[in-house]
Amino acid sequence: MKMIPLLLFCCLSALAKPSNYSDQQALMAFKSAISLDPFNSLSDWSPNHTICNWSGVTCSSRRQCVVSLNLTDMGLAGPISPFLGNLSFLRVLDLYNNSLGGHIPYQLGRLFRLTWLRLSYNNLEGPIPSSLGSCHSLQSLILPYNNLSGSIPSEISLLSNLEVIGLAANKLTGIIPPFFGNMSLLIGIDFAENKLQGGIPAELGMLNQLKWLNLFSNNLIGTIPVALSNCTRLYMLQLCQNHLNGPIPWEFGRLSELQYVYLWGNQLTGEIPSSVGNWTHLRKLDLSANQLSGTVPLEFGKMQQLRRFILKQNHLVSGSSGLSILTVLTNCSSLEVLDFGSNYLTGVLPTSIGRLSNSLYVLELYSNEIGGNIADEISNLTSLATANLAANRFNGTIPYALSKLPNLETLVLGANNLQGRIPESFGHLKRLGFLALNENMLSGKIPDSLGDLPQLRDLFLQHNLLSGKIPGSLGRCKTLQTVDLAHNKLTGNIPPEFVGLQNLQFYFNVSGNLLQGSILEVSKMVMVLAIDVSQNNFSGRIPSALASCEGLEYLNLSWNAFEGPIPASLADLQNLQYMDLSCNNLSGTIPVAFKNMKMLQHLNLSSNRLTGEVPKGGAFATLDASEIMGNLGLCGGWLNLPLCSHSNHKQPLVSKKVIISVVIGIAILIMSLLLVAFSYRYKHFRTPALKVWPPKISYKELVDATNGFGDENLLGTGS
């Protein structure tokens, strides 16, 4: 009878606790471990509320047990509680994009019903727990963008239902295990941005369901396995930025479903196989930065869905057909990016270039051997934002047609053989931000119309034959950050309008011209990092206001006619790494404060009129004799300099000239006195009444004068 109350108590106690009590306790333990909840996302996690109504929690309808925990994008910080392993009915655990740290709890291996585990974009570290191999129902294991380390555990091979595994952007090492070839349900593998080594396992070719393979940015070596051609459902292949070599397998032509192929940044060799013509669904292809040779297959013209076609930095040639590849690509009506830069393409730019896709916004043909004129038909590419034809053999004039590209933002025509003037019509390119016409044979004046470009940031016109004055209209380009007008025939002063270029922060270079006057305007470019006005005719003093350019790292004022002392205020430029003041008429001493310029690596003061002692230590410790030569007044006893004539490293109180003048004055005074005395004696010797010389002195007078011949008054002794 006594047992009945006890049983009744136990039954009532069991009824008092909800069926998901253990789940509640596990979640409360998770919350208690959270150190930061910036959006109060877990504020409703309280025993006073039904667990199935808590934020991010989903329960089963029958048992009211937690089956899904979704806490994405909440900014939560702290460790993941191991008590989550007690959520025995959990199927989905998604903690994407938080700031969770520590290790992945080993106890998560108890969640044998778990199908989805996503912990990406956190701060998790340590190894991938081998216990996850016990989650036999797991279909998606997504752990990228953490700090996980170690190798891929072999227990992952037990996940026979796994379809997607993502481990990208961690610190994983070791090899890609061949056992993945036996996981027949895999449709996606992403191991990008790790430190994986070894080769790509040929066993991956057994995955006939595989749709995407991403091994980008590892340390993989060897050749691309031909066996991958068996993965006929593959639509994305990303093997870029590894150390792969050998050819692109001809058999890859069987991968007719490919849409995205990224193989750039390897050491692939051989020709691009013409079998790629079967990639009729291809949208993006990047084979750049390899060692591919031969011609570009004309079969690419069949790919009407091709949007990005990048073959830059290879050894490709044109062959006998010239640039006919550009003609066949006119069939690719969706083409947006075409980049064949840095190859060995020859021929002339065909007029068919004007029939390329209306969607084309990037055209890169730089660093080839393309010659002839720039075809006027390029003006038909009205969507073009970037046109880079630099470092070729283009000749003739810059076509007016380029001024008809309303969306042009970047125009690079440098290092060609272009002649004539810069078109005044360039002022119509209202979106132009980057203009590089350097290293040509352009002549005439810099057009005033360039001042009408409201978005111009970078202007490179160096190494041409431009003449006239720098147009003050450039001062209206308030967005200018870099100006390089070096090595032309420009004259006049730096326009005062340049004072208003407050955004000029990278490079101002007008060296190698015929400019003159002061550089006071330069000292007001307070944001600039590099100033080069060398090889001109600038004169006057170096403005001490240059010290206001606090971020200045490079300063070259050499080969001008600057005079006066070096401003000591330049020592305030604590970011300065390079300073060249050579070949001017500077005088005075070298500021001792330069010793404190910690970043200064190169200092050239040669061929001036500097005097005094060269400071030692600090920034002068690495000074070379050639960097002070040509200053005859310098001393110091090092760097082949003579010793300074003063002692204790102090300047003499009175100069040599003053001493010589005083000595001469005293000599003249003495000679004058002697002359007066001689004249006086001569006059008195001729008078009748001669006085006795030497005068007679009595004995008594001697006694009185010497105080009785005391010892202290005698000069000597005798009789």
Side-chain angles (χ1 to χ4, degrees):
M1 297 295 293
K2 294 182 179 180
M3 292 294 294
I4 293 177
L6 181 60
L7 291 172
L8 181 61
F9 175 77
C10 293
C11 292
L12 290 175
S13 299
L15 290 173
K17 292 182 180 180
S19 60
N20 56 14
Y21 178 74
S22 62
D23 288 0
Q24 182 188 84
Q25 294 298 103
L27 292 179
M28 290 302 295
F30 174 84
K31 179 181 178 180
S32 64
I34 296 299
S35 59
L36 179 64
D37 181 6
F39 308 116
N40 293 320
S41 303
L42 307 182
S43 59
D44 59 352
W45 282 29
S46 169
N48 299 326
H49 297 84
T50 303
I51 183 175
C52 297
N53 293 330
W54 290 2
S55 298
V57 176
T58 303
C59 296
S60 62
S61 57
R62 188 163 64 92
R63 291 193 177 91
Q64 293 295 292
C65 295
V66 177
V67 294
S68 175
L69 182 59
N70 187 337
L71 303 177
T72 62
D73 301 304
M74 291 184 176
L76 302 176
I80 299 175
S81 171
F83 288 99
L84 290 184
N86 294 336
L87 300 174
S88 55
F89 287 89
L90 194 66
R91 295 184 179 181
V92 174
L93 177 57
D94 196 344
L95 304 179
Y96 166 82
N97 196 23
N98 283 285
S99 298
L100 301 171
H103 289 204
I104 299 174
Y106 187 88
Q107 291 81 355
L108 295 186
R110 301 174 187 169
L111 304 175
F112 63 92
R113 290 185 174 91
L114 196 66
T115 61
W116 174 278
L117 177 60
R118 186 166 68 158
L119 306 178
S120 48
Y121 288 93
N122 280 286
N123 299 318
L124 300 171
E125 56 187 10
I128 299 172
S130 59
S131 62
L132 292 181
S134 300
C135 301
H136 299 301
S137 300
L138 201 60
Q139 298 175 4
S140 296
L141 177 59
I142 307 173
L143 310 176
Y145 292 94
N146 282 287
N147 295 309
L148 301 175
S149 57
S151 59
I152 300 173
S154 59
E155 289 78 4
I156 297 296
S157 64
L158 302 176
L159 302 176
S160 57
N161 293 302
L162 198 63
E163 297 178 358
V164 173
I165 180 167
L167 307 177
N170 281 288
K171 299 177 181 178
L172 299 176
T173 56
I175 64 169
I176 300 174
F179 63 67
F180 282 112
N182 297 323
M183 306 177 75
S184 58
L185 298 182
L186 273 175
I187 61 174
I189 297 176
D190 188 355
F191 298 159
E193 298 183 78
N194 279 287
K195 300 178 181 180
L196 299 173
Q197 299 174 333
I200 300 173
E203 288 81 357
L204 297 184
M206 300 167 60
L207 301 174
N208 53 21
Q209 302 294 321
L210 195 64
K211 293 185 177 180
W212 43 275
L213 176 62
N214 186 0
L215 306 179
F216 158 68
S217 189
N218 279 283
N219 296 318
L220 301 175
I221 60 174
T223 60
I224 301 175
V226 175
L228 289 181
S229 62
N230 296 325
C231 304
T232 53
R233 295 193 179 185
L234 204 62
Y235 76 86
M236 188 189 75
L237 178 62
Q238 192 161 349
L239 308 178
C240 43
Q241 212 167 11
N242 280 286
H243 306 288
L244 302 174
N245 54 42
I248 300 172
W250 174 274
E251 292 80 0
F252 271 24
R254 297 206 297 261
L255 303 177
S256 57
E257 298 297 319
L258 276 175
Q259 298 181 31
Y260 306 94
V261 178
Y262 302 102
L263 305 180
W264 57 270
N266 284 287
Q267 290 111 40
L268 300 177
T269 56
E271 298 186 1
I272 302 172
S274 59
S275 61
V276 299
N278 294 328
W279 298 350
T280 54
H281 298 288
L282 194 66
R283 296 188 177 192
K284 297 181 181 180
L285 174 68
D286 192 341
L287 306 179
S288 61
N290 280 288
Q291 299 170 22
L292 298 171
S293 57
T295 61
V296 182
L298 301 182
E299 284 78 6
F300 282 111
K302 301 177 182 178
M303 303 174 188
Q304 297 189 8
Q305 299 183 48
L306 189 61
R307 295 181 180 178
R308 298 176 67 91
F309 191 16
I310 304 176
L311 301 179
K312 65 180 179 181
Q313 298 176 30
N314 278 288
H315 301 155
L316 300 171
V317 297
S318 294
S320 58
S321 58
L323 292 175
S324 57
I325 181 63
L326 296 180
T327 301
V328 301
L329 288 177
T330 59
N331 297 322
C332 304
S333 56
S334 300
L335 195 61
E336 298 174 350
V337 175
L338 177 59
D339 190 346
F340 289 173
S342 194
N343 279 285
Y344 297 100
L345 301 177
T346 56
V348 298
L349 205 61
T351 58
S352 59
I353 194 172
R355 292 188 283 112
L356 288 172
S357 167
N358 289 330
S359 302
L360 190 70
Y361 67 89
V362 173
L363 176 63
E364 303 261 12
L365 299 176
Y366 65 91
S367 295
N368 281 284
E369 298 177 8
I370 304 171
N373 295 336
I374 299 174
D376 288 340
E377 287 76 7
I378 199 172
S379 63
N380 296 331
L381 305 177
T382 53
S383 297
L384 205 60
T386 297
N388 189 347
L389 309 179
N392 278 286
R393 298 180 179 178
F394 289 112
N395 52 39
T397 59
I398 299 175
Y400 168 81
L402 291 172
S403 306
K404 298 180 180 180
L405 299 173
N407 295 299
L408 198 60
E409 299 175 1
T410 299
L411 178 60
V412 187
L413 304 177
N416 280 289
N417 298 315
L418 298 172
Q419 302 175 357
R421 294 174 175 265
I422 301 172
E424 190 79 27
S425 56
F426 273 7
H428 300 153
L429 301 172
K430 300 303 181 183
R431 295 189 178 184
L432 194 64
F434 189 102
L435 178 60
L437 308 178
N438 54 292
E439 297 178 59
N440 281 287
M441 295 182 285
L442 300 174
S443 57
K445 296 182 179 181
I446 300 174
D448 286 329
S449 63
L450 295 186
D452 298 329
L453 302 176
Q455 299 186 39
L456 188 62
R457 300 181 311 276
D458 303 285
L459 178 62
F460 296 93
L461 303 179
Q462 71 271 25
H463 291 280
N464 277 289
L465 303 173
L466 300 172
S467 57
K469 296 183 178 181
I470 301 174
S473 62
L474 288 177
R476 299 198 300 266
C477 302
K478 302 302 181 182
T479 56
L480 263 179
Q481 298 178 358
T482 302
V483 176
D484 196 337
L485 310 178
H487 298 284
N488 281 286
K489 298 181 179 181
L490 301 173
T491 57
N493 301 330
I494 296 175
E497 291 86 350
F498 273 45
V499 174
L501 296 178
Q502 298 298 321
N503 289 314
L504 194 64
Q505 54 185 297
F506 291 116
Y507 197 34
F508 179 75
N509 187 359
V510 293
S511 65
N513 281 288
L514 302 171
L515 299 172
Q516 57 190 10
S518 71
I519 60 166
L520 187 60
E521 290 78 12
V522 173
S523 65
K524 297 178 182 179
M525 301 174 186
V526 294
M527 300 296 294
V528 73
L529 297 180
I531 294 175
D532 191 341
V533 299
S534 61
Q535 300 180 54
N536 280 286
N537 295 320
F538 290 116
S539 58
R541 297 191 172 214
I542 298 175
S544 58
L546 274 175
S548 62
C549 303
E550 296 180 357
L552 199 63
E553 298 177 359
Y554 180 100
L555 176 63
N556 191 345
L557 309 182
S558 62
W559 291 95
N560 280 287
F562 292 115
E563 57 187 9
I566 300 173
S569 61
L570 295 183
D572 296 335
L573 299 173
Q574 288 299 311
N575 294 310
L576 199 64
Q577 302 175 26
Y578 182 104
M579 179 161 59
D580 191 343
L581 308 181
S582 63
C583 301
N584 282 287
N585 296 315
L586 300 173
S587 57
T589 60
I590 301 174
V592 179
F594 281 8
K595 292 171 58 176
N596 302 323
M597 301 177 72
K598 297 180 181 179
M599 301 296 292
L600 194 62
Q601 300 175 11
H602 177 88
L603 175 64
N604 193 345
L605 305 174
S606 62
S607 300
N608 280 288
R609 299 178 180 177
L610 300 173
T611 58
E613 185 174 7
V614 177
K616 295 181 180 180
F620 294 94
T622 58
L623 198 65
D624 187 82
S626 63
E627 295 168 336
I628 57 170
M629 64 183 296
N631 292 282
L632 300 180
L634 292 178
C635 61
W638 65 300
L639 297 176
N640 300 323
L641 295 172
L643 289 170
C644 297
S645 58
H646 52 80
S647 60
N648 296 328
H649 304 287
K650 296 180 181 180
Q651 294 292 335
L653 297 176
V654 183
S655 66
K656 290 182 179 180
K657 290 183 178 180
V658 173
I659 294 174
I660 293 173
S661 299
V662 171
V663 170
I664 293 175
I666 293 174
I668 294 174
L669 179 60
I670 292 173
M671 292 178 66
S672 300
L673 291 174
L674 290 174
L675 183 60
V676 170
F678 179 80
S679 300
Y680 178 82
R681 287 185 61 190
Y682 180 77
K683 178 178 179 181
H684 286 276
F685 278 142
R686 294 181 60 85
T687 57
L690 290 177
K691 293 185 177 180
V692 179
W693 189 265
K696 294 183 179 179
I697 300 174
S698 67
Y699 180 80
K700 184 177 182 304
E701 289 174 326
L702 285 173
V703 171
D704 292 337
T706 60
N707 193 21
F709 296 97
D711 293 339
E712 68 274 13
N713 295 303
L714 288 178
L715 298 178
T717 59
S719 60

